[in-house]
């Protein structure tokens, strides 16, 4: 079967679910690295994921390890890779079962105790949110033993999953978020959380290999889903379409009753067009031809399945007239580009959305740098009613670190001019307001420069490929 026919085959909603899932699994594990694509020839080399040492450490200290994230970012592939290495080292095989299989899911839901007898620990259970009835029985099982790491679980719907985990496995589960491939993972560069300092900037530049602006947009177009990146360029559109059809038909229907799939698809496209922009529900509603209440509900669905992140605005009593609108970012800039009709990297680079997609790409790389280290990403954004904006704001240990994303190879001092809008939080204040005082740390302009260097006293330029 040719690749295009395979994509169409997988998109057929009438295909037997178990057979379709088998083909999807094979597609997901077929090709891994964009650097291995030569024409129509795709290698199946496994890409080491930055989260692997975190998973292994959690498995040593927690009885249950839960990996959450969007579908097809490689959660199961990574865990099965680690399970194979575990078996080779210890001789103990970890069972694997997916609850995407209708028959297996029904068995898990109807008789959880018998199910766990059939799939004994150590076990990897895929898409645990589809059978939350298992969680109380997993709790009983882990409470009977001091063994750690017996249960590895994955899930792609935290709206359901996290509630059940918090109620059934509190204190017993280590929870890790996983997103698509980062540039560091793709280039086998050591991954570390973003740390705004000249030492970090120069170290990262020395570790990474420079790439051009065109190559960055090729990276954006390819996205972070391993299976889609592995396909030849001309087949990626079909793969994105298959992903969206599966997402709408399966996950959204599991979460809520979305009666009009065409309007929901239009809503996703509207969100993609507004990535890296403040959320205006009235505008989303108008673009999708729905009411504002539905727009809020549907955006919550996108966030609950990890397709978008909603950044809260920074608030501080020492700053006046701040915007209260949150900011929208797609977790995968390639998916956002596809939804907006940008399938070609070159036209995307020269197009009207180049700045937005670059900013979303920067956000994604920064966000992944934290979650790939098992840490929360302390990112927000700043905007006041005078239209002064700072794309991203990192707050750590009482210090604010401003970040601008600029699609420029030659950043200049004026690119950081809005950083001064934060000055009031660092000024001397009366005693009763000192709790709101913050230091202003090293700012950064993340851009397409070929090196890291200071552009002003308050900001350094940092190439996006160095994160």
């Amino acid at each position: 079967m040719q690749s295009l026919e395979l994509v169409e085959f997988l998109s057929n909603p009438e295909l037997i679910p178990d057979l379709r899932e088998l083909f999807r699994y094979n597609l997901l594990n077929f090709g891994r690295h964009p650097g291995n694509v030569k024409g129509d020839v795709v290698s199946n080399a496994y890409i080491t994921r930055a989260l692997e040492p975190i998973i292994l450490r959690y498995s040593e200290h927690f009885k249950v390890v839960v990996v959450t994230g969007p579908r097809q970012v490689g959660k199961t592939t990574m865990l099965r890779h680690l399970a194979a290495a575990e078996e080779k080292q210890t001789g103990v095989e970890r069972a694997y079962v997916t609850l995407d299989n209708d028959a297996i899911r029904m068995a898990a839901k109807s008789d959880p105790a018998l199910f766990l007898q059939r799939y004994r620990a150590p076990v990897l259970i895929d898409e645990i949110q589809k059978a939350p009835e298992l969680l109380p029985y997993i709790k009983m099982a882990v409470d009977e033993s001091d063994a750690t790491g017996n249960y590895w679980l994955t899930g792609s719907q935290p709206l359901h999953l996290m509630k059940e985990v918090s109620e059934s496995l509190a204190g017993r589960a280590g929870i890790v978020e996983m997103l698509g491939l980062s540039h560091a993972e793709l280039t086998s560069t050591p991954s570390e959380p973003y740390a705004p300092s000249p030492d970090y900037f120069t170290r990262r530049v020395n570790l990474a290999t420079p790439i051009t602006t065109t190559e960055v947009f090729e990276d954006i177009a390819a996205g972070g889903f391993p299976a889609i990146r592995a396909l030849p360029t001309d087949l990626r559109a079909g793969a994105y379409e298959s992903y969206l059809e599966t997402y709408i038909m399966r996950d959204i229907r599991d979460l809520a009753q979305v009666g009009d799939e065409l309007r929901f698809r239009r809503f996703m496209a509207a969100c993609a067009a507004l990535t890296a922009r403040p959320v205006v529900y009235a505008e989303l509603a108008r673009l999708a031809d729905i009411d504002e209440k539905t727009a809020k509900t549907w955006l919550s669905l996108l966030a609950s399945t990890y397709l978008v992140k909603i950044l809260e605005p920074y608030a501080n009593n020492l700053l006046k007239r701040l915007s209260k609108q949150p900011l929208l970012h797609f977790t995968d800039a390639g998916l956002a580009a596809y939804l907006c009709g940008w399938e070609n990297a070159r036209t995307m680079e020269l197009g009207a959305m180049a700045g937005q997609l670059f900013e979303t790409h920067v956000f994604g790389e920064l966000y992944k740098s934290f979650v790939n280290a098992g840490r929360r990403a302390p990112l927000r954004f700043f905007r006041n009613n005078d239209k002064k904006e700072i794309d991203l704001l990192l707050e750590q240990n009482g210090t604010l670190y401003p970040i601008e994303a600029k699609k420029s190879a030659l950043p200049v001092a004026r690119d950081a001019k809005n950083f001064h809008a934060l000055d009031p939080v660092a000024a001397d204040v009366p005693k009763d307001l000192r709790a709101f005082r913050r230091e202003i740390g090293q700012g950064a302009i993340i851009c397409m420069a070929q090196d890291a260097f200071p552009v002003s006293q308050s900001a350094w330029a940092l190439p996006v490929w160095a994160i």
Side-chain angles (χ1 to χ4, degrees):
M1 183 178 290
Q2 296 299 313
S3 298
L4 184 56
E5 294 173 341
L6 177 60
V7 171
E8 293 173 349
F9 177 67
L10 295 176
S11 300
N12 183 358
E14 297 180 356
L15 187 65
I16 298 172
D18 291 349
L19 185 59
R20 182 173 66 242
E21 193 58 40
L22 174 62
F23 271 86
R24 287 191 184 283
Y25 177 79
N26 288 339
L27 177 61
L28 179 62
N29 289 278
F30 180 55
R32 312 303 300 178
H33 197 303
N36 294 332
V37 177
K38 302 294 184 184
D40 288 339
V41 179
V42 185
S43 168
N44 62 350
Y46 174 77
I47 294 180
T48 301
R49 304 306 295 264
L51 271 173
E52 289 180 18
I54 305 298
I55 299 296
L56 295 175
R57 190 162 185 225
Y58 274 33
S59 195
E60 290 177 359
H61 294 277
F62 290 96
K63 296 183 177 183
V64 182
V65 178
V66 185
V67 182
T68 66
R71 282 189 179 269
Q72 295 197 20
V73 294
K75 302 186 297 294
T76 305
T77 302
M78 175 187 69
L79 291 177
R80 296 196 74 175
H81 176 80
L82 292 176
E86 177 186 60
E87 181 182 358
K88 186 175 181 181
Q89 182 178 4
T90 65
V92 178
E93 181 180 2
R94 182 177 293 270
Y96 168 72
V97 58
T98 175
L99 297 177
D100 270 334
N101 181 296
D102 291 341
I104 290 176
R105 182 170 65 253
M106 289 175 63
K109 294 172 77 69
S110 61
D111 196 335
L114 183 62
F115 180 89
L116 291 180
Q117 289 179 27
R118 165 64 181 85
Y119 298 100
R120 294 184 179 276
V123 61
L124 163 57
I125 303 177
D126 220 0
E127 301 298 341
I128 187 65
Q129 80 283 346
K130 290 182 173 291
E133 295 85 354
L134 287 172
L135 291 169
Y137 290 86
I138 292 175
K139 173 183 178 295
M140 288 188 287
V142 299
D143 285 349
E144 292 174 357
S145 170
D146 292 330
T148 59
N150 268 343
Y151 291 87
W152 290 357
L153 314 176
T154 77
S156 56
Q157 296 175 8
L159 186 67
H160 289 172
L161 176 65
M162 302 308 289
K163 179 176 182 295
E164 298 292 345
V165 169
S166 63
E167 291 178 355
S168 301
L169 300 177
R172 302 167 180 84
I175 302 171
V176 180
E177 180 181 352
M178 182 176 182
L179 295 180
L181 290 161
S182 68
H183 184 73
E185 289 173 317
L186 287 165
T187 55
S188 300
T189 303
S191 181
E192 61 179 313
Y194 174 77
S197 70
D199 286 345
Y200 168 87
F201 298 154
T202 53
R203 180 172 69 255
R204 295 303 300 176
V205 165
N206 290 333
L207 282 172
T209 300
I211 60 176
T212 65
T213 301
T214 297
E215 288 172 319
V216 167
F217 277 90
E218 289 172 352
D219 207 30
I220 292 172
F225 300 109
I228 294 177
R229 289 194 69 101
L231 291 170
T233 303
D234 61 325
L235 297 182
R236 286 177 184 157
Y240 273 124
E241 191 61 34
S242 178
Y243 180 84
L244 289 169
E245 287 297 324
T246 302
Y247 169 65
I248 295 172
M249 296 295 291
R250 179 181 295 175
D251 292 347
I252 289 299
R253 283 183 176 176
D254 285 349
L255 284 168
Q257 295 297 321
V258 176
D260 192 331
E261 293 177 5
L262 182 61
R263 285 188 178 180
F264 187 78
R265 174 62 181 270
R266 192 184 302 145
F267 174 77
M268 285 197 293
C271 290
L274 298 176
T275 190
R277 295 290 181 264
V279 175
V280 180
Y281 291 107
E283 187 172 3
L284 286 173
R286 178 183 61 80
L287 291 172
D289 193 22
I290 55 177
D291 57 60
E292 288 189 40
K293 182 179 179 180
T294 301
K296 290 180 181 179
T297 300
W298 285 1
L299 186 60
S300 176
L301 290 177
L302 291 179
S304 71
T305 47
Y306 292 100
L307 289 192
V308 303
K309 292 291 180 183
I310 308 298
L311 288 189
E312 292 301 319
Y314 180 72
N316 189 308
N317 284 6
L318 298 178
L319 297 171
K320 307 293 185 182
R321 298 167 56 80
L322 294 177
S323 171
K324 296 181 180 180
Q325 291 175 317
L327 191 74
L328 169 68
H329 275 294
F330 264 67
T331 55
D332 191 277
L335 179 60
Y338 173 74
L339 282 165
C340 293
W342 300 99
E343 299 178 16
N344 179 281
R346 184 60 179 167
T347 57
M348 185 198 309
E349 180 185 348
L350 301 174
M353 284 192 64
Q356 284 176 252
L357 292 170
F358 180 77
E359 188 176 329
T360 286
H361 177 63
V362 168
F363 164 78
E365 292 298 302
L366 288 170
Y367 191 92
K368 291 171 191 175
S369 79
F370 286 97
V371 298
N372 284 348
R375 292 173 52 181
R376 182 183 68 87
L379 294 170
R380 283 185 278 182
F381 88 105
F382 174 89
R383 187 173 189 263
N384 62 23
N385 291 343
D386 295 329
K387 304 300 174 86
K388 291 183 178 179
E389 297 183 8
I390 299 173
D391 292 335
L392 294 167
L393 203 57
L394 173 68
E395 183 172 14
Q396 287 182 326
N397 302 316
T399 302
L400 299 176
Y401 301 93
I403 302 166
E404 279 289 313
K406 296 291 182 184
K407 188 183 73 76
S408 169
L410 296 171
V412 293
R414 66 173 176 273
D415 291 329
K417 63 181 185 301
N418 288 342
F419 291 1
H420 292 295
L422 299 172
D423 288 348
V425 303
D428 290 333
V429 295
K431 186 176 181 180
D432 59 332
L433 293 175
R434 287 178 186 169
F436 302 104
R437 192 179 183 281
R438 299 289 185 271
E439 298 295 328
I440 307 299
Q442 180 66 67
I445 301 169
I446 299 180
C447 57
M448 280 311 311
Q450 293 298 291
D451 200 354
F453 53 87
V455 296
S456 70
Q457 290 186 340
S458 61
W460 271 56
L462 175 67
V464 64
W465 44 261
I467 298 174

